[in-house]
Amino acid sequence: MECLVINGGRRLEGSVAVNGAKNAALPIMAAMLLATGECTLRRVPRLQDVTVMAAVIRSLGLKIERSNTTLHVSPATVTLPEVPADLMRQLRASNLVMGPLLGRYHYFRVPYPGGCAIGSRPMDLHLKGFTAMGAEVTEKQGYIEARTTGLQGTTIYLDFPSVGATENLMMAAVLAGGVTILHNAAREPEIVDLQNFLNSLGARIQGAGQDTIRIEGVKELKQADYQIIPDRIEAGTFLAAAAGTSGDVFVQGCQAEHLLAVLAKLTEMGARITVKRDGIRLQGPARLKAIDCKTLPYPGFPTDMQPQLMALMTVANGTSILVESIFENRFKHAAELRRLGADIKIEGRVAVINGVPGLSGCLVEASDLRAGAALVIAGLMAEGQTRVEGVYHLDRGYEQLEARLRSLGADIRRLNGR
């Protein structure tokens, strides 16, 4: 079993470039099913999740060639709109093929997707939206099947601003008859990026980034050459690592407007942040300050940064309160942080963290992608050696994480076996 070995206590210094956003690349790759011409997607991160999504797209007949961080996708007519179960179960975002398949081919049959076990992420908002647009949806024996003679535009109100449901319904609606209005839509930057990509293909979408999105159906989508946005969660993770090690790090290429809630909390904890044209510089304090934080849909504090923030809270001066309002099962990292010496009490969706003077290295295991990032940050802050197992989770969302942290002065390496 691979693990990361971290000898903590080193201050991070230097510059690190942020990669393209995983959570923007995955829906845009699914959207390529809608195109009738060749598509080029640039700044695509080299991650396991992207590899799986590419396999999903290939299984449907599209040809994908990769050159470094660029994907070239040749269109194909999908004759069998079904995805193999082994692929779907590797990646939650594989469900994003449903909207494009239903919109263009009027049918799909897919198994329930997999992904990180961070809580319930039901498909009901996706399926209710498809039904409202005229699809007949059935669920049986672990599969979701939908068919239509042609989707029709309508008005859809999402009970919760789900990112996945917003993306799926946007993609389903671009070829539907008439106009579709999505109310209470997710507002994440990745939604805006998907809108911009679809519009570059010839779609007519307005409003992404706000809570109401208007999609006017068109007859056909053609080709595009597009570059995805930088990864705000990767950028936030490097900033948090710098804050936790009293470091001085410049994260190059990130967009500060996508990180306002994260930057506000890091500033509140005592970090000094300088926003520049080409990135963000963070200078960490000698000791962090305790704060309160609640995760919320964008533009609130992102749930994908909650574990990393908890890691910082473990050594902050005072008592911090952290409320997880998005996923009900996203405190698994707390038990592993306790192994390192953290004082954390969990009551439902509320964590109370009493900051300790320091953490002590030990063996811990990542339960999911962002939990793994939190444990790496904790290991960087801890005295002595920390071994983080379950690093395959990290490979789903961070490209060459240990090498990039080493470039900032961290003592971290990957080993095979214990």
Side-chain angles (χ1 to χ4, degrees):
M1 179 184 294
E2 285 190 328
C3 68
L4 293 180
V5 179
I6 306 166
N7 292 305
R10 293 200 176 193
R11 183 172 184 258
L12 299 187
E13 295 181 277
S15 177
V16 63
V18 69
N19 291 316
K22 172 180 81 87
N23 290 335
L26 298 178
I28 289 175
M29 290 173 69
M32 289 178 173
L33 288 163
L34 293 161
T36 59
E38 293 190 357
C39 291
T40 299
L41 183 59
R42 304 183 188 275
R43 198 160 60 188
V44 180
R46 289 164 289 197
L47 301 170
Q48 180 61 24
D49 276 9
V50 172
T51 299
V52 175
M53 181 60 88
V56 169
I57 300 303
R58 286 192 184 99
S59 76
L60 293 166
L62 275 68
K63 182 179 179 182
I64 301 180
E65 295 180 356
R66 177 156 201 155
S67 175
N68 198 13
T69 59
T70 300
L71 292 183
H72 300 283
V73 181
S74 300
T77 298
V78 177
T79 56
L80 185 65
E82 299 184 15
V83 180
D86 61 326
L87 292 177
M88 287 290 288
R89 288 170 185 151
Q90 292 180 51
L91 177 64
R92 176 72 184 183
S94 59
N95 67 11
L96 294 171
V97 301
M98 296 190 303
L101 290 176
L102 190 61
R104 185 175 179 190
Y105 298 102
H106 301 167
Y107 174 81
F108 68 76
R109 183 176 184 267
V110 299
Y112 279 95
C116 284
I118 56 176
S120 175
R121 291 182 282 181
M123 302 290 296
D124 60 308
L125 297 181
H126 307 244
L127 306 186
K128 284 168 63 177
F130 295 151
T131 301
M133 297 171 71
E136 179 184 338
V137 180
T138 58
E139 300 175 74
K140 57 183 177 181
Q141 298 179 332
Y143 280 81
I144 305 169
E145 187 172 358
R147 65 179 73 245
T148 179
T149 56
L151 296 177
Q152 295 299 315
T154 188
T155 297
I156 300 170
Y157 179 86
L158 296 174
D159 295 332
F160 178 83
S162 161
V163 173
T166 299
E167 291 168 339
N168 246 330
L169 296 176
M170 283 173 63
M171 290 186 284
V174 290
L175 297 178
V179 174
T180 301
I181 306 292
L182 300 181
H183 291 293
N184 198 32
R187 300 169 59 186
E188 274 75 359
E190 295 80 13
I191 303 289
V192 178
D193 214 31
L194 178 60
Q195 170 188 271
N196 293 342
F197 172 73
L198 290 169
N199 283 348
S200 73
L201 290 173
R204 297 174 182 172
I205 309 174
Q206 296 176 320
Q210 305 173 43
D211 61 4
T212 299
I213 300 175
R214 183 182 188 275
I215 307 108
E216 181 182 346
V218 298
K219 296 294 185 182
E220 184 181 66
L221 299 181
K222 297 184 179 179
Q223 69 281 338
D225 188 322
Y226 192 79
Q227 178 170 285
I228 66 172
I229 58 174
D231 195 315
R232 60 193 173 100
I233 304 302
E234 181 183 80
T237 299
F238 280 116
L239 292 170
T245 60
S246 302
D248 185 350
V249 171
F250 179 68
V251 180
Q252 183 180 3
C254 59
Q255 296 183 12
E257 61 268 27
H258 296 168
L259 286 160
L260 295 180
V262 173
L263 298 181
K265 288 302 175 183
L266 292 175
T267 300
E268 194 177 339
M269 296 186 85
R272 180 182 176 187
I273 292 172
T274 306
V275 176
K276 300 185 178 182
R277 180 182 56 82
D278 57 342
I280 301 170
R281 180 185 181 187
L282 184 142
Q283 296 164 281
R287 188 175 185 190
L288 297 163
K289 302 174 184 176
I291 63 167
D292 295 342
C293 184
K294 180 178 182 180
T295 64
L296 292 166
Y298 190 86
F301 191 90
T303 181
D304 277 356
M305 279 298 301
Q306 176 260 104
Q308 300 92 308
L309 187 68
M310 181 184 284
L312 300 185
M313 290 173 166
T314 63
V315 296
N317 185 25
T319 299
S320 298
I321 306 294
L322 186 53
V323 180
E324 173 56 62
S325 72
I326 308 298
F327 295 119
E328 76 279 5
N329 196 26
R330 201 165 199 176
F331 281 149
K332 290 183 178 180
H333 46 281
E336 300 301 297
L337 291 171
R338 289 193 197 103
R339 294 179 184 271
L340 294 158
D343 181 355
I344 305 172
K345 296 179 178 62
I346 304 293
E347 186 66 40
R349 294 189 180 216
V350 179
V352 180
I353 305 103
N354 295 308
V356 297
L359 302 176
S360 298
C362 68
L363 176 65
V364 292
E365 183 172 2
S367 58
D368 60 73
L369 169 57
R370 306 306 175 185
L375 296 178
V376 169
I377 292 171
L380 295 171
M381 299 188 301
E383 180 180 349
Q385 188 175 95
T386 300
R387 289 189 173 223
V388 182
E389 295 188 339
V391 295
Y392 62 90
H393 288 297
L394 283 161
D395 294 338
R396 291 185 46 239
Y398 296 98
E399 181 181 340
Q400 297 182 330
L401 179 61
E402 63 269 26
R404 296 160 79 196
L405 287 171
R406 275 199 304 274
S407 74
L408 298 174
D411 184 347
I412 179 173
R413 65 190 188 279
R414 183 178 296 231
L415 291 182
N416 288 316
R418 289 178 182 255

